[in-house]
Amino acid sequence: MALRLHNTLTGRVEEFVPLEPGRVRMYVCGVTVYDRSHIGHARALVTFDVLYRFLRDRGYEVTFVRNFTDIDDKILARAQTLGIPPEKLAAENIRAFEQDVRALGCLPPTLEPRATEHVPEMIELIRELERKGLAYPVDGDVYFSVRDFPGYGKLSKRRLDDMVAGARVQVDPRKRHPMDFALWKASKPGEPAWPSPWGPGRPGWHIECSAMGAKYLGQPFDIHGGGSDLVFPHHENEIAQSEGAKGVPLARYWVHNGLVSVAHEKMSKSAGNFMTVEEAARRYGGEALRLFCLGTHYRNPLDFSPDRLAENAKSLHRVYETLARATEAAGSSVERARPEVPPAFSEALEDDLNTAKALGVFFETLRATNRSLDAGESRERVAHLLASLRAMGRVLGIAQQDPHAFLEEERRRTLRASELDAEEIEKLVAERAAARKARDFRRADAIRDELKARGIVLEDTPEGTKWRVEGPKNAPVAQQD
């Protein structure tokens, strides 16, 4: 079966056929680096990382470009609030972003261009639009004339006369139409500025991706991706700019992931209802956050709660416990084992990248591995199952770490989150044992409940009480501005 993807442009799930056999060119809109990334960003990062992995697994040569917006109104405003240069703020958040994507287990893209490094290309694109009568200057600004581009609205399925100004669009009486958007912005005192035919200024947000995408991937290219909140106005404006200038489509397939919500409201920094990737990784592990994102089809809404993330951390713990057992049981046989990925796994990903269904196949193989281990089956059988798990995990970006190292790091992380160390836990376990011996069951139960609330689970066995770490419950979603 061939890969099929939902194309926002046509509104249909279509067979993916690259423009050039054996090669895929993909552009995904990156982050605006005015702050740390949150779980909403993580979903887009994981979605397109899996697509990248799956295409490469199918033998395609993939050029994957994901940009940084490092000059923007939000960056300027935040830098002014913090009293630091905007370029310093952007550089700090790019370094933080790189830590976040590593925590999520994302492969590095082929290229990660920065907007500030491509201003000449943006100026040339704007000049081309001006020559074609699609752009007009006003007092050092330059606007795109939406009425002069007949296809405006075709991605978002909106009629121009019905449109309301969207994100980052300000009504300006100097505009010919309220929906005309800025290609170039005249600089204000103290702002970074570049020389241009219209005077010193900086590029508008939308022109960045059009210029960088065309430079590194040509036009048209195969896949343009991002969150569904980018369909309008950002991607709609990209299409207008790029196709207006070049006269050919910008991209063939437009792929958009659904948004992350909290209590069914969009997760966003402006709403203050977000958890950063760094916070989630510190509390639960970056791979648990990745698993959380994979468990719902990428186009569906994903409602976040700390409890759901904690459940994914527990599931991942069980995965690595099985991998640890299987690695020990297989011994050297694992070096000779050949993976056999179940057809249902590939079929799920071919069906519009259905990671939730593919995860189901992965976990069924995990259960088969546990049954094989419990039954004492041969090393070769266990090694075969282990190799198959690793192969599926490689495409999904999970279950690739050394299992013993993962479990030890998980133990340390959850101990840090519980604000207890092993010595303190042992003291409380001993105190509980003494309370039980004295038949003070109220105190014994209180100690057990206290530890459980802090992520420490007790198990009473014939050999004594053992404890294990599961992680703290009900971690709060950050409330920040």
Side-chain angles (χ1 to χ4, degrees):
M1 187 188 301
L3 171 63
R4 291 168 293 142
L5 292 171
H6 182 270
N7 189 348
T8 306
L9 187 63
T10 63
R12 299 190 302 268
V13 175
E14 302 174 344
E15 181 178 344
F16 175 70
V17 180
L19 290 161
E20 183 180 340
R23 186 183 177 203
V24 177
R25 289 169 290 162
M26 177 169 72
Y27 188 98
V28 175
C29 287
V31 293
T32 300
V33 286
Y34 73 98
D35 203 350
R36 292 296 296 251
S37 299
H38 59 64
I39 292 175
H41 299 122
R43 191 179 197 195
L45 291 166
V46 169
T47 295
F48 292 101
D49 181 65
V50 173
L51 179 56
Y52 182 36
R53 288 169 179 268
F54 188 55
L55 289 168
R56 297 202 331 173
D57 189 69
R58 284 302 178 88
Y60 287 107
E61 177 190 343
V62 185
T63 303
F64 174 20
V65 178
R66 184 181 65 217
N67 72 293
F68 288 114
T69 294
D70 58 345
I71 184 66
D72 171 87
D73 291 343
K74 291 184 177 181
I75 294 173
L76 295 176
R78 178 60 60 84
Q80 185 176 23
T81 299
L82 297 175
I84 61 174
E87 58 271 21
K88 183 175 187 292
L89 175 67
E92 289 174 353
N93 283 317
I94 287 174
R95 286 194 294 271
F97 177 83
E98 290 168 348
Q99 294 173 2
D100 292 342
V101 292
R102 283 197 297 271
L104 289 168
C106 295
L107 299 175
T110 313
L111 296 162
E112 290 185 282
R114 303 184 186 191
T116 54
E117 297 172 351
H118 297 81
V119 174
E121 290 87 349
M122 298 174 204
I123 290 173
E124 181 52 40
L125 182 55
I126 296 169
R127 292 185 65 180
E128 192 168 0
L129 289 168
E130 197 175 27
R131 288 193 292 269
K132 293 189 174 183
L134 291 170
Y136 59 95
V138 181
D139 302 328
D141 297 333
V142 183
Y143 290 98
F144 184 92
S145 178
V146 295
R147 283 201 183 279
D148 293 316
F149 181 72
Y152 194 75
K154 64 182 177 180
L155 182 69
S156 58
K157 312 298 186 291
R158 302 184 183 202
R159 293 178 63 250
L160 186 58
D161 291 340
D162 296 335
M163 289 181 186
V164 177
R168 306 188 188 216
V169 176
Q170 296 180 348
V171 176
D172 186 330
R174 302 176 304 159
K175 295 181 182 180
R176 296 175 182 173
H177 186 278
M179 296 307 299
D180 289 353
F181 56 90
L183 300 169
W184 186 260
K185 296 183 177 184
S187 62
K188 298 175 183 177
E191 288 186 351
W194 287 261
S196 81
W198 316 283
R202 57 186 172 86
W205 177 38
H206 312 295
I207 199 70
E208 299 173 2
C209 292
S210 288
M212 290 185 283
K215 176 173 182 175
Y216 293 108
L217 300 175
Q219 188 177 327
F221 52 85
D222 296 294
I223 299 171
H224 197 315
S228 58
D229 55 336
L230 297 180
V231 173
F232 183 86
H234 186 48
H235 288 170
E236 193 74 71
N237 291 352
E238 277 191 62
I239 287 175
Q241 296 163 162
S242 298
E243 297 187 7
K246 305 298 182 185
V248 296
L250 174 58
R252 191 168 183 180
Y253 299 87
W254 290 81
V255 181
H256 294 94
N257 62 274
L259 303 181
V260 176
S261 60
V262 179
H264 306 292
E265 293 185 5
K266 178 189 172 185
M267 177 178 284
S268 67
K269 290 172 181 172
S270 59
N273 63 345
F274 70 98
M275 178 181 282
T276 64
V277 173
E278 184 275 333
E279 173 80 0
R282 179 166 53 82
R283 287 183 176 272
Y284 306 100
E287 195 169 339
L289 175 53
R290 185 183 184 96
L291 191 64
F292 167 71
C293 294
L294 295 174
T296 300
H297 191 284
Y298 78 90
R299 285 196 290 120
N300 293 337
L302 178 59
D303 201 50
F304 170 79
S305 72
D307 284 345
R308 290 191 66 185
L309 199 50
E311 286 302 317
N312 278 275
K314 291 177 184 178
S315 295
L316 197 63
H317 178 89
R318 292 191 288 271
V319 168
Y320 276 99
E321 281 188 327
T322 300
L323 294 179
R325 290 179 65 202
T327 300
E328 292 171 1
S332 61
S333 297
V334 73
E335 299 170 8
R336 301 185 296 275
R338 299 183 63 182
E340 184 178 332
V341 174
F345 179 83
S346 298
E347 289 167 4
L349 293 178
E350 288 164 346
D351 183 16
D352 193 24
L353 212 66
N354 194 332
T355 56
K357 194 171 182 180
L359 267 180
V361 179
F362 175 89
F363 277 105
E364 178 52 45
T365 306
L366 191 79
R367 288 189 286 272
T369 305
N370 278 318
R371 290 193 295 269
S372 179
L373 288 164
D374 293 342
E377 293 184 352
S378 69
R379 287 187 170 192
E380 287 72 24
R381 170 62 176 164
V382 173
H384 168 75
L385 289 166
L386 179 59
S388 299
L389 286 170
R390 292 288 192 189
M392 286 185 280
R394 185 168 57 252
V395 177
L396 295 174
I398 60 172
Q400 299 301 291
Q401 301 183 54
D402 176 88
H404 295 94
F406 173 89
L407 293 170
E408 177 58 26
E409 176 54 32
E410 180 194 50
R411 181 175 181 273
R412 292 174 181 171
R413 183 184 64 254
T414 48
L415 275 174
R416 288 194 297 268
S418 71
E419 299 179 347
L420 292 171
D421 59 31
E423 184 178 347
E424 290 174 306
I425 295 169
E426 292 290 356
K427 285 181 180 178
L428 287 170
V429 169
E431 184 180 342
R432 176 175 177 268
R436 294 179 71 194
K437 187 175 181 179
R439 305 188 67 80
D440 185 356
F441 298 114
R442 178 177 295 183
R443 176 57 182 158
D445 289 347
I447 293 171
R448 180 199 61 204
D449 293 344
E450 178 190 349
L451 288 170
K452 185 176 181 180
R454 298 171 80 171
I456 311 300
V457 177
L458 302 184
E459 296 178 3
D460 294 316
T461 72
E463 293 78 31
T465 301
K466 301 182 183 299
W467 58 271
R468 58 187 171 86
V469 182
E470 285 195 347
K473 295 184 67 177
N474 301 320
V477 176
Q479 295 293 324
Q480 304 177 27
D481 35 41

